[in-house]
DNA sequence: GGGTACATGTAATCAGTTACATGATTTA
DNA sequence: TAAATCATGTAACTGATTACATGTACCC
């Protein structure tokens, strides 16, 4: 009822459904993968359950196909649009903690060199991937998406820088 | 039984209990706040429940005070030490997503200027706080802790840089 | 026509959060 | 001694994950 029960996942669903006009859970999965998936992934089961929940709250309208697969298609309702717009209009002051398992291991005394090597093996390719995305699709990307990508690049650079220093320090 | 059911929170508890030799949930809370709390916070209720769980798994030994408050004191067991050591010895390749609500709003088309302002209001003080910590306590801090702090500073710098750019771009 | 990958969904579990509740100390 | 604040814990909920299960389409 009140928007208090909505989580980030809710807004992701709401936002993607709004953008698409209409979507099935599977399409949501595709959209997530194609857009924010690498910054904020959502397991597919949630993309089935969350829309259902939002439908119960009256924020989405559910339509079950009568033929073949009986897919569920969702569209946003007026109150869904309102809830989404309200969330969007109120700039969050929330703060995201790092919550990086590698950092945790470092803190607890893991061998820094081995740890740094392992971490670089994941962060370097990830950074390369993002940079390639930007160089290849950057110009066509919607502005907001490009910014998000830039942010990802910045943080990945930071991780690489950090673990390289840890490695160098021995 | 197998270590598969252990989460990061488990290792935090295990690690802190190991470091302290013995600890009550409240002391764990203090330790978290004093060390990794700003990178990886743990709500206090979890610091009561998780040790209980670990005790059932045989990784901690629980001792209930018979006097007054009947506090629960925990110590690590041999198998707890093993489990912790195993986790520590295996460098994680896990990758932490950004999962920043601000980025999410940006992606979905929130007003970038207002958003950047709000975000800078939280990130700038946070950065200052970390830098002050480092300058003030840096030399006394255990090496690993200092590194974690450096990482936090790096990422906060990155956030500030990013949102400043968003702000400047209009 | 057999396999493999894509597509679609449900069930069960649980970690983590929120809310509630109260005892013990300090401090004004 | 009243009021905060610190300390300690339990209960209830639920979002998110994991695991299971099956249908459909394409391809060799």
């Amino acid at each position: 009822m009140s928007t208090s029960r909505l989580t980030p996942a809710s807004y992701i669903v709401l936002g993607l459904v709004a953008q698409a006009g209409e979507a099935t859970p599977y399409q949501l999965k595709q959209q997530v993968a194609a857009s924010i998936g690498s910054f904020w992934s959502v397991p597919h089961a949630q993309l089935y359950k969350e829309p259902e929940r939002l439908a119960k709250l009256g924020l989405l309208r559910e339509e079950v196909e009568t033929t073949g697969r009986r897919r569920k298609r969702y569209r946003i309702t007026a109150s869904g649009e309102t809830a989404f717009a309200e969330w969007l209009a109120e700039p969050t002051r929330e703060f995201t903690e790092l919550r990086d398992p590698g950092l945790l291991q470092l803190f607890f005394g893991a061998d820094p060199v081995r740890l740094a090597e392992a971490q670089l093996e994941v962060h370097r390719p990830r950074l390369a991937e993002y940079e390639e995305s930007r160089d290849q699709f950057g110009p066509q990307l919607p502005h907001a998406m490009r910014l998000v990508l830039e942010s990802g690049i910045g943080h990945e650079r930071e991780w690489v820088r950090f673990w390289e220093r840890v490695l160098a320090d021995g």
Side-chain angles (χ1 to χ4, degrees), chain A:
Chain A
M1 204 141 305
S2 84
T3 62
S4 65
R5 311 250 112 249
L6 299 186
T7 69
S10 314
Y11 293 111
I12 290 176
V13 169
L14 237 33
L16 291 178
V17 170
Q19 272 180 10
E22 188 185 53
T24 66
Y26 189 73
Q27 288 171 327
L28 290 177
K29 184 184 152 189
Q30 307 284 83
Q31 288 174 263
V32 168
S35 55
I36 44 168
S38 46
F39 303 97
W40 199 314
S41 72
V42 187
H44 87 282
Q46 211 182 337
L47 296 176
Y48 287 87
K49 208 186 346 176
E50 187 63 24
E52 239 168 53
R53 207 183 126 234
L54 295 173
K56 271 180 201 137
L57 292 174
L59 306 179
L60 292 181
R61 181 175 350 278
E62 184 180 295
E63 207 176 306
V64 182
E65 287 184 352
T66 54
T67 97
R69 296 204 171 190
R70 317 200 85 250
R71 281 200 212 81
K72 292 174 183 171
R73 314 190 83 84
Y74 294 91
R75 314 189 122 265
I76 198 162
T77 64
S79 49
E81 270 167 5
T82 307
F84 185 69
E86 273 170 6
W87 169 72
L88 210 53
E90 191 53 47
T92 180
R93 268 147 218 285
E94 239 173 293
F95 184 89
T96 304
E97 295 169 8
L98 282 179
R99 293 202 172 228
D100 184 82
L103 268 195
L104 215 51
Q105 291 187 318
L106 185 63
F107 171 75
F108 278 118
D111 174 3
V113 172
R114 289 188 56 221
L115 189 54
E117 282 166 355
Q119 288 285 306
L120 284 169
E121 269 176 48
V122 302
H123 284 293
R124 280 188 179 133
R126 184 58 74 112
L127 173 58
E129 190 187 306
Y130 287 171
E131 283 175 333
E132 204 190 334
S133 267
R134 180 198 46 192
D135 297 344
Q136 199 172 353
F137 308 115
Q140 300 121 273
L141 287 177
H143 185 57
M145 183 66 217
R146 195 161 62 251
L147 284 177
V148 172
L149 191 50
E150 288 291 351
S151 177
I153 290 174
H155 285 282
E156 283 307 318
R157 281 220 185 95
E158 182 54 37
W159 282 121
V160 169
R161 213 180 290 139
F162 175 72
W163 290 115
E164 276 174 351
R165 227 194 94 205
V166 171
L167 196 60
D169 287 4

